[in-house]
Amino acid sequence: MKRVVVVPSILSANFCRLGKEIQEVLKAGCNLIHFDVMDNHYVSNLTMGPMILKSIKNSGIKVFFDVHLMASPVDSLIPLFANLNVQFITIHPESTNHLDRTIQLIKKIDCGVGLALNPSTSLHFLDYVIDELDLILVMAVNPGFGGQKFLTYVLKKIQQVRSLIDKSQKNILLSVDGGISLSNIVNVIQSGADYVVVGSAIFHSDDYLKTIRKLTDIIIDN
Ligand code: DX5
Ligand code: ZN
């Protein structure tokens, strides 16, 4: 049986106590944290950047990050994430003029390469670069904000990406981001996700640990 993993997105955490919020979800057994970087240009919101990751690392919190860059231009940001416990850097194909060059910049700092596909983004962006990827992130909302409604038509896209990955016979992870909750996680995993990014459903709940356990139980039962 395939093990699907819950990856908390700290976009919906309480930034006043960010270190504590991260430690809470680590207690629930999560070992990867999703980190949304928004620039008020590629998306209309402004969030966090490498300085915050540096503070987290310097505070002694030991965890790996899954950095989701929603920024354009994006190339100049990438080197700033070197040596900050970043496992993956995921970019959007529309945020760069030269996708292959951007991918090579991520490899150069020894991070896994992720490509994010917005709900309306064509799968053709994968045609020539799929072999270069470690992760494909399917967005189930339009990027920019936490707490949005899951777009159900994306389930078909998750299935399509699953079969492209299987066909490629490469070790590429399929992650799904946006609007995932206790009520729809079953559909997401049954469509073929390897991991699910969950923001508001965890950080807006009364008990993070309980919510992560409930999500994990659903995964185990399915
Ligand atoms: C949206 C971000 C997501 C967001 C998910 O643009 O990429 O990672 O934090 O949050 P929820 O789970 O609340 O949709
Ligand atoms: Zn994200």
Side-chain angles (χ1 to χ4, degrees), residues 1-151:
M1 194 185 70
K2 198 181 68 173
R3 185 91 170 91
V4 179
V5 176
V6 175
V7 180
S9 163
I10 52 173
L11 182 64
S12 296
N14 179 348
F15 282 22
C16 258
R17 52 188 301 276
L18 191 54
K20 289 200 175 89
E21 297 271 273
I22 294 173
Q23 269 157 342
E24 285 277 304
V25 295
L26 296 187
K27 275 190 221 150
C30 299
N31 49 19
L32 189 62
I33 300 283
H34 189 81
F35 188 87
D36 288 304
V37 179
M38 302 184 186
D39 68 344
N40 193 35
H41 178 71
Y42 177 68
V43 291
S44 8
N45 201 357
L46 193 60
T47 59
M48 38 195 175
M51 279 169 63
I52 293 184
L53 275 190
K54 200 170 181 184
S55 302
I56 296 169
K57 188 183 174 189
N58 291 345
S59 78
I61 297 176
K62 289 201 178 5
V63 66
F64 281 96
F65 286 91
D66 167 36
V67 171
H68 179 187
L69 292 181
M70 288 158 275
S72 179
V74 69
D75 287 3
S76 55
L77 272 181
I78 291 169
L80 307 180
F81 287 92
N83 304 315
L84 292 178
N85 295 343
V86 176
Q87 190 166 349
F88 302 107
I89 294 185
T90 296
I91 46 145
H92 286 254
E94 305 89 345
S95 71
T96 173
N97 289 329
H98 307 289
L99 182 55
D100 178 76
R101 180 177 291 148
T102 307
I103 289 172
Q104 301 312 326
L105 285 172
I106 299 173
K107 287 180 190 282
K108 206 168 163 189
I109 59 161
D110 278 331
C111 292
V113 180
L115 193 66
L117 303 171
N118 288 336
S120 67
T121 299
S122 168
L123 295 182
H124 290 306
F125 277 107
L126 297 169
D127 283 354
Y128 299 100
V129 296
I130 190 162
D131 289 352
E132 302 295 311
L133 305 178
D134 301 288
L135 172 80
I136 299 172
L137 182 151
V138 176
M139 292 298 299
V141 297
N142 290 296
F145 301 92
Q148 300 182 78
K149 197 173 171 305
F150 185 92
L151 297 168

